[in-house]
Amino acid sequence: MNTLTIATVALLLACACRERGQWHSWLGTTGARVLFWGFPVGAVSYALTGAAWPSMASGALAYVGMAVIPHGAGQNLAVAWSGPVDDGLAGINRAERMGYMATAWAARMWLIALPLAPEHPAALWLPIIGAWAAVAYLLGLYLPVFHWRLTCATEWGEFLTGLGVGAALAGAL
């Protein structure tokens, strides 16, 4: 895969990952996950492989991963997680949150990789990107905020995670 393709896919999925995390009153959470995550992952997979069914399955499983594997307890590394006091999660430390985030993203990437792996065995390496997700959210703490779409550390974490996912997916396919 050439460097321009990898960079383009990385930037596309960085924007998609960030946008699926954004609140869209006209679309809702489910619609955003489909339109801004499942569809782009499937479309990129198809563009890189030309295989329709595995790519559609990969996109569908990308949505499923976002829908059923929660990561809210781990995403905000800047402040203590503010869950109900009686649930045992309030105040979990940063290292635990990063581990939680890495695990959630590793599982999500495993789902994306499954339909692609028979023809592209390198896709089985995609779950490693879970470790990058934790680092991406940590890096977000140190990046400047903007007035639109990158307004806090968590939004930077989403963007940087998508950047890593895109580069890994393009590299594997």
Side-chain angles (χ1 to χ4, degrees), residues 56-156:
M56 286 191 290
S58 185
L61 288 173
Y63 162 75
V64 168
M66 283 294 172
V68 302
I69 302 171
H71 68 276
Q75 71 183 4
N76 191 347
L77 299 178
V79 296
W81 187 65
S82 57
V85 175
D86 62 353
D87 71 2
L89 294 175
I92 58 176
N93 69 42
R94 186 175 284 171
E96 289 171 333
R97 286 183 271 168
M98 289 178 67
Y100 185 86
M101 181 66 66
T103 303
W105 273 97
R108 289 174 179 167
M109 295 308 296
W110 179 251
L111 290 173
I112 290 169
L114 282 176
L116 302 170
E119 294 297 319
H120 302 278
L124 292 174
W125 288 96
L126 291 174
I128 292 172
I129 205 66
W132 167 248
V135 172
Y137 277 78
L138 184 62
L139 288 174
L141 293 171
Y142 304 101
L143 295 172
V145 296
F146 299 108
H147 296 290
W148 188 75
R149 294 299 193 251
L150 295 171
T151 63
C152 66
T154 299
E155 293 177 359
W156 269 111

Side-chain angles (χ1 to χ4, degrees), residues 19-86:
E19 202 58 34
R20 66 97 204 135
Q22 184 68 35
W23 170 248
H24 299 278
S25 61
W26 57 278
L27 195 56
T29 303
T30 300
R33 288 174 177 164
V34 170
L35 183 62
F36 296 119
W37 191 242
F39 179 74
V41 168
V44 162
S45 297
Y46 180 71
L48 295 173
T49 66
W53 287 109
S55 297
M56 286 191 290
S58 185
L61 288 173
Y63 162 75
V64 168
M66 283 294 172
V68 302
I69 302 171
H71 68 276
Q75 71 183 4
N76 191 347
L77 299 178
V79 296
W81 187 65
S82 57
V85 175
D86 62 353

